Amino acid sequence: MVMIGHDSLRFVAYPISDPDPETGIATINWIAEKQFPLDADWKKEDWNRQADINDFLPLFDDWRFDWIDVPALIEGADVVYEYPMVDRDPLPRWTDGRVTLMGDAAHPTYPVGSNGASQAIIDARVIGAKLLEHGLTPAALEAYEAEVRPVTTAVGLANRAGGGPDAVLQWVEDRCGGAFDTIDDVIPREELAAHAAKYKSIAGFSIEELNARPPIIPEGARVNR
Ligand SMILES: Cc1cc2nc3c(=O)[nH]c(=O)nc-3n(C[C@H](O)[C@H](O)[C@H](O)COP(=O)(O)OP(=O)(O)OC[C@H]3O[C@@H](n4cnc5c(N)ncnc54)[C@H](O)[C@@H]3O)c2cc1C
């Protein structure tokens, strides 16, 4: 996965298929992200609006490096979609009797931490565990919310406050305008490692913490109706 640029203009790319065994070519998903002033005219959120690459290709005109050719990637896409980066305040509650929220409906975080789906999957596991513990009751949903909402609130606020993984791109921009010979001279390794470890810990995917935990739902567990 590569992330290039800074808060105002950024390009992210990663493979979403295995490489073809003969050509070595994989399907790539990429994101070209541009920041506009808050009062700029913007289109209502919609994940499926087809975009015109000519609207943004010129911004990346000289982003050709010996290891990635950004304009070529943009021009090579079969289809391109446009969507706004949407940030919402964490909700004060999710549960009302026998109804609760999960996934993006409960915690639509600003999408910079690459973990919205992971958090939604954890929601499902925790709901399952609480149903096992409390039966098919509103108490199970309250217990799920009590455990998960503080965590997803912290993740959402961290993403917003530059605590997410890609915040380091802006650090480089601020410190040297993006021009350097050795990245270690701009950000010491320890600083990078500490930033990554902090976010992993907030989001709950610190490898050590995860491996030390028992399964959320024990194998073979069943809810008695
Ligand atoms: C471009 C992009 C990149 C992302 N990258 C990552 C990533 O790298 N890692 C990661 O972990 N997360 C990522 N996410 C976030 C992740 O996709 C979401 O957090 C996750 O899909 C949320 O799951 P969900 O089930 O809560 O909601 P959704 O996946 O949005 O599912 C909701 C479903 O409900 C359906 N629906 C809506 N209204 C109705 C209705 N009235 N009746 C019936 N069905 C309805 C919708 O069609 C949809 O299928 C990314 C998101 C986007 C947009």
Side-chain angles (χ1 to χ4, degrees):
M1 180 173 187
V2 296
M3 293 180 169
I4 319 169
H6 42 77
D7 285 356
S8 313
L9 195 63
R10 184 181 356 223
F11 192 83
V12 180
Y14 47 89
I16 52 171
S17 75
D18 287 332
D20 181 283
E22 278 170 25
T23 62
I25 292 175
T27 304
I28 304 286
N29 187 47
W30 55 254
I31 298 143
E33 185 188 330
K34 174 163 169 50
Q35 196 176 64
F36 292 91
L38 280 176
D39 59 356
D41 198 18
W42 65 289
K43 296 172 187 160
K44 190 179 181 307
E45 57 262 41
D46 180 349
W47 306 115
N48 296 307
R49 180 186 297 116
Q50 219 158 314
D52 179 354
I53 61 169
N54 297 310
D55 287 344
F56 60 94
L57 184 59
L59 299 168
F60 297 92
D61 208 26
D62 58 351
W63 290 35
R64 297 178 199 271
F65 310 101
D66 54 5
W67 49 278
I68 191 170
D69 183 334
V70 171
L73 267 178
I74 294 175
E75 287 173 309
D78 294 335
V79 62
V80 178
Y81 295 101
E82 176 188 4
Y83 59 90
M85 298 284 276
V86 177
D87 192 14
R88 298 212 187 274
D89 287 331
L91 290 173
R93 60 176 297 149
W94 297 344
T95 307
D96 183 3
R98 290 178 174 270
V99 177
T100 196
L101 299 176
M102 61 181 293
D104 275 10
H107 42 78
T109 56
Y110 194 64
V112 292
S114 301
N115 65 17
S118 323
Q119 296 297 338
I121 292 164
I122 293 171
D123 292 353
R125 303 295 289 172
V126 175
I127 288 178
K130 299 305 177 191
L131 290 173
L132 280 169
E133 196 179 331
H134 299 276
L136 298 174
T137 61
L141 303 184
E142 294 284 356
Y144 145 74
E145 178 181 333
E147 182 167 324
V148 177
R149 195 166 55 78
V151 179
T152 55
T153 297
V155 172
L157 294 177
N159 284 2
R160 177 181 294 182
D166 37 5
V168 296
L169 296 173
Q170 187 61 40
W171 295 359
V172 177
E173 187 66 13
D174 291 341
R175 291 179 195 187
C176 66
F180 57 87
D181 290 324
T182 310
I183 189 66
D184 297 349
D185 297 340
V186 184
I187 308 182
R189 297 261 149 185
E190 307 78 61
E191 200 178 344
L192 282 176
H195 181 71
K198 187 169 170 208
Y199 189 70
K200 283 181 193 166
S201 177
I202 293 171
F205 44 61
S206 148
I207 293 171
E208 295 75 25
E209 284 175 34
L210 268 180
N211 285 343
R213 265 193 236 150
I216 297 174
I217 297 182
E219 204 177 331
R222 303 176 78 90
V223 179
N224 293 320
R225 289 167 181 264

